[in-house]
DNA sequence: GACGACAGTCAAATCGTTTCCACAGAGGGT
DNA sequence: ACCCTCTGTGGAAACGATTTGACTGTCGTC
């Protein structure tokens, strides 16, 4: 916003015939008393000039920018889009603005965004992106956030992350063990697992849940049953294709819905009936889960709600209250892609 | 960021034994000359203190905040998510940050966001959200943006919008006429149309394209053939259901892929074969278009690219160059949901 | 009638930068 | 010897708000 004719508080004050101090008090409805008549004069002056207070200047003196920085892996992924929407709706009434940044799971990029947000004086940092398995990243991030916190900043985590901070997150481990149990109850003993990018903390946690359940329930624990699907539609299809060529199974469980849908399509195209020959289950319950090649049985992880609860946690902390970590557990949505194992 | 121990340029200057002015010059690598030795001293002082310049203070004096406000209808919709990602990638190298706001198609909310962004001193405003058919909204928005522009701001439009501003957009009208022609070539004479929310300018434009093509090609122009699907999966299903009960047709064309997928599923559930009995075509080519109940024939509208080109248009304008409006035309992606009309 | 409390106002300091201006010294050209 | 340019530096004035402290009245109370 270079040049031009910005109207400042001084202009308003002059037009209203009062000091800048008084004008400020009425515009920011401070507790300091102002007489009704001058208040009206200032208000109408502001109105006629189209005055809008400069929040940068205000932030400079109050040391509160009323902005929040959010870091996600990929804003074009509806999983994150939903979270951001929940966050936005949650903080909207409190007059905060949201910066968003997509890190593309690149540790370097993510650290840079954190630095940039700090330079931008955000009041809080939200890590909606999962942690990354990278020692230098974890070390640098911890140091950065520690410094940020000492300077008065607030950080919150909405995923599985090594960062020590107040958090609200999904019970990812529990979600996976529950899905495996669900499959096991239906007679599946060889359940293939399509995992996401191994560098993501969330994938490790989910995979851990799968492994634990397989062991506890005495199912076949076979390395050949797991394959990386990169969290994408195409990756899911490719993963199931290599699984098909490598071993046999009666069910496949994917670490997210996108991969489950990709796998379903690949199976159908290859002529293996879903759920007739192979059952498929996902995780997340994204909007299109019901509209894939076969309506997907999955577990609902309420992303929008995660965002909302993250927002209220944040607001409580900014308000000086004690943070309380929260855990959101999923709920199985039964549709058509899972059935009992063939005997 | 209240309290705490922010380190400012003054601290750096003191530690380095120079004036604030000099410290500023080296930190913001100004063109003003600084000797190599003092530069090193300042740099190492900054390093050891962990100094990060306060961009708010900088913005206040330079009248450049290096931030951009983006307005979308719904950030959880991948259509907008893609655009935002393209924008972000496009401006990232130029050291701009992005504010995003979801207006939910609410005129009041959208105007408030515009005001908030202006108060936040954003250097540019991006309207990725389509215009809304609401006279007061259009008038107020125009006034707001006009004032913003006089104050040195830049506005850019990435959709169909009544706002007069530099723009890059999809050829929505052409997209629809082309899709209708594609269907007509295959012998369809009664093509049903599922439209989006009527208050959206983009829907009007798309619908206009459909109507014009139907007329030009001499197809059946029947009011009973069009129904609102609200741009959603569920809405698409409901729309095709009412269409089915009201009239007959051999093809349905939806104003976006989500509705096309919803319609396809509804048809399949009801036992009408796609494309055997009814062909279905969409618009956008979102990622899951290929993974629906039937792989969808649609027109690719490159949203990510729209965002990127929007970013570069913006940067050119901010750089003082002359804006050039751009039009992006789609490309038909033939998959399996469309076939020739039964005779 | 004196005193304190309080409403109402303003001038000035402050936040952390950038930038304008002044100034000193070095060096080069005539 | 003179002038001019150029490098390198610091002081101080911005930018646009909030907030502190001081100052004037007015009113009620004892």
């Amino acid at each position: 916003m270079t040049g031009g004719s910005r109207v400042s508080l001084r202009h308003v004050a002059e037009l209203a015939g009062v000091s800048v101090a008084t004008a400020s008090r009425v515009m920011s409805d401070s507790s300091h008393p102002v007489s009704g008549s001058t208040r009206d004069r200032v208000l109408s002056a502001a109105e006629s000039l189209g005055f809008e207070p400069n929040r940068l200047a205000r932030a400079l003196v109050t040391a509160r920018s009323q902005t929040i920085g959010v870091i996600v892996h990929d804003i074009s992924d509806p999983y994150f889009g939903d979270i951001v929407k929940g966050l936005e709706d949650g903080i909207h009434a409190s007059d905060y603005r949201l910066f968003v940044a997509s890190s593309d799971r690149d540790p370097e990029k993510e650290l840079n965004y954190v630095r940039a947000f700090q330079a931008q004086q955000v009041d809080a940092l939200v890590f909606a992106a999962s942690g990354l398995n990278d020692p230098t990243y974890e070390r640098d991030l911890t140091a950065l956030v520690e410094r940020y916190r000492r300077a008065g900043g607030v950080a919150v985590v909405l995923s599985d992350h090594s960062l020590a901070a107040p958090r609200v997150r999904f019970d990812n481990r529990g979600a996976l063990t529950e899905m495996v149990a669900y499959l096991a109850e239906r007679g599946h003993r060889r359940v293939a697992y399509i995992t996401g990018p191994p560098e993501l903390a969330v994938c490790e946690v989910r995979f851990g849940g799968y492994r634990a359940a397989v062991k506890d329930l005495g199912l076949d624990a076979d390395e050949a049953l797991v394959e990386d699907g990169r969290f994408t539609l195409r990756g899911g299809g490719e993963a199931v294709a290599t699984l098909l060529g490598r071993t046999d199974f009666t069910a496949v469980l994917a670490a997210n819905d996108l991969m489950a849908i990709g796998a379903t399509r690949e199976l159908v195209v290859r002529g293996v009936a879903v759920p007739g020959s192979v059952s498929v289950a996902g995780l997340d319950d994204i909007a299109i889960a019901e509209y894939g090649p076969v309506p997907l049985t999955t577990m609902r992880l309420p992303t929008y709600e995660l965002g909302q609860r993250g927002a209220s946690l944040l607001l409580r902390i900014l308000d000086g209250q004690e943070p309380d970590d929260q855990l959101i557990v999923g709920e199985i949505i039964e549709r058509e892609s899972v059935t009992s194992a063939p005997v």
Side-chain angles (χ1 to χ4, degrees), chain A:
Chain A
M1 299 238 334
T2 178
S5 54
R6 276 288 305 167
V7 22
S8 81
L9 204 49
R10 194 168 49 78
H11 302 123
V12 176
E14 277 168 9
L15 180 58
V18 300
S19 74
V20 180
T22 310
S24 166
R25 284 193 265 265
V26 3
M27 293 314 295
S28 56
D29 38 41
S30 104
S31 60
H32 200 97
V34 174
S35 82
S37 65
T38 51
R39 158 163 280 116
D40 291 348
R41 280 215 314 289
V42 171
L43 249 25
S44 73
E47 169 73 19
S48 76
L49 290 176
F51 171 75
E52 194 78 47
N54 183 329
R55 304 185 68 128
L56 264 38
R58 172 183 305 187
L60 193 57
V61 34
T62 59
R64 282 295 200 134
S65 66
Q66 300 283 110
T67 61
I68 292 173
V70 187
I71 293 186
V72 301
H73 284 321
D74 177 1
I75 188 62
S76 72
D77 181 339
Y79 175 88
F80 291 110
D82 265 340
I83 294 180
V84 170
K85 196 175 184 207
L87 267 170
E88 196 195 359
D89 289 353
I91 63 166
H92 179 251
S94 308
D95 202 32
Y96 278 91
R97 307 284 155 244
L98 233 46
F99 281 112
V100 309
S102 290
S103 75
D104 283 334
R105 299 179 198 140
D106 177 346
E108 196 52 46
K109 218 168 162 181
E110 191 163 323
L111 291 170
N112 279 334
Y113 271 123
V114 171
R115 274 186 278 261
F117 281 160
Q118 296 188 17
Q120 209 73 243
Q121 309 298 115
V122 297
D123 291 336
L125 234 30
V126 178
F127 292 88
S130 158
L132 302 169
N133 296 326
D134 178 328
T136 40
Y137 159 82
E138 294 188 340
R139 179 169 49 72
D140 291 357
L141 185 66
T142 306
L144 230 43
V145 171
E146 191 40 50
R147 203 181 68 201
Y148 175 61
R149 213 175 257 139
R150 270 200 306 273
V154 165
V156 152
V157 163
L158 300 188
S159 59
D160 290 296
H161 208 298
S162 63
L163 195 65
R167 65 190 63 213
V168 21
R169 62 178 180 84
F170 293 133
D171 179 12
N172 282 312
R173 182 169 231 274
L176 264 294
T177 60
E178 202 176 327
M179 284 309 276
V180 172
Y182 177 84
L183 259 14
E185 277 166 21
R186 276 150 193 79
H188 297 281
R189 299 201 48 83
R190 288 186 69 76
V191 347
Y193 183 68
I194 306 184
T195 185
E199 73 270 22
L200 262 49
V202 64
C203 292
E204 218 173 332
V205 173
R206 289 188 177 176
F207 186 39
Y210 162 82
R211 253 187 328 205
V214 163
K215 186 164 171 240
D216 289 356
L217 301 170
L219 305 189
D220 293 0
D222 184 348
E223 287 234 340
L225 282 171
V226 357
E227 182 66 26
D228 181 6
R230 303 188 320 269
F231 262 173
T232 65
L233 284 164
R234 181 177 307 275
E238 290 168 4
V240 87
T242 80
L243 283 166
L244 236 28
R246 185 205 285 162
T247 182
D248 61 315
F249 45 86
T250 61
V252 10
L253 176 56
N256 78 356
D257 283 350
L258 247 30
M259 295 191 295
I261 292 170
T264 304
R265 173 153 161 75
E266 184 69 23
L267 289 169
V268 170
V269 165
R270 289 175 172 249
V272 356
V274 176
S277 309
V278 169
S279 290
V280 177
L283 200 75
D284 286 352
D285 192 37
I286 58 180
I288 33 113
E290 192 177 346
Y291 294 84
V294 177
L296 188 68
T297 289
T298 185
M299 171 167 276
R300 171 166 301 156
L301 261 23
T303 43
Y304 178 80
E305 189 189 336
L306 177 70
Q308 276 193 313
R309 288 171 65 168
S312 73
L313 172 63
L314 206 55
L315 292 176
R316 280 198 305 273
I317 299 178
L318 286 168
D319 194 39
Q321 298 178 37
E322 273 306 301
D324 52 323
D325 286 10
Q326 295 173 44
L327 192 68
I328 301 181
V329 306
E331 167 199 9
I332 292 182
I333 307 293
E334 296 189 280
R335 283 196 274 254
E336 300 170 20
S337 65
V338 171
T339 188
S340 296
V343 280

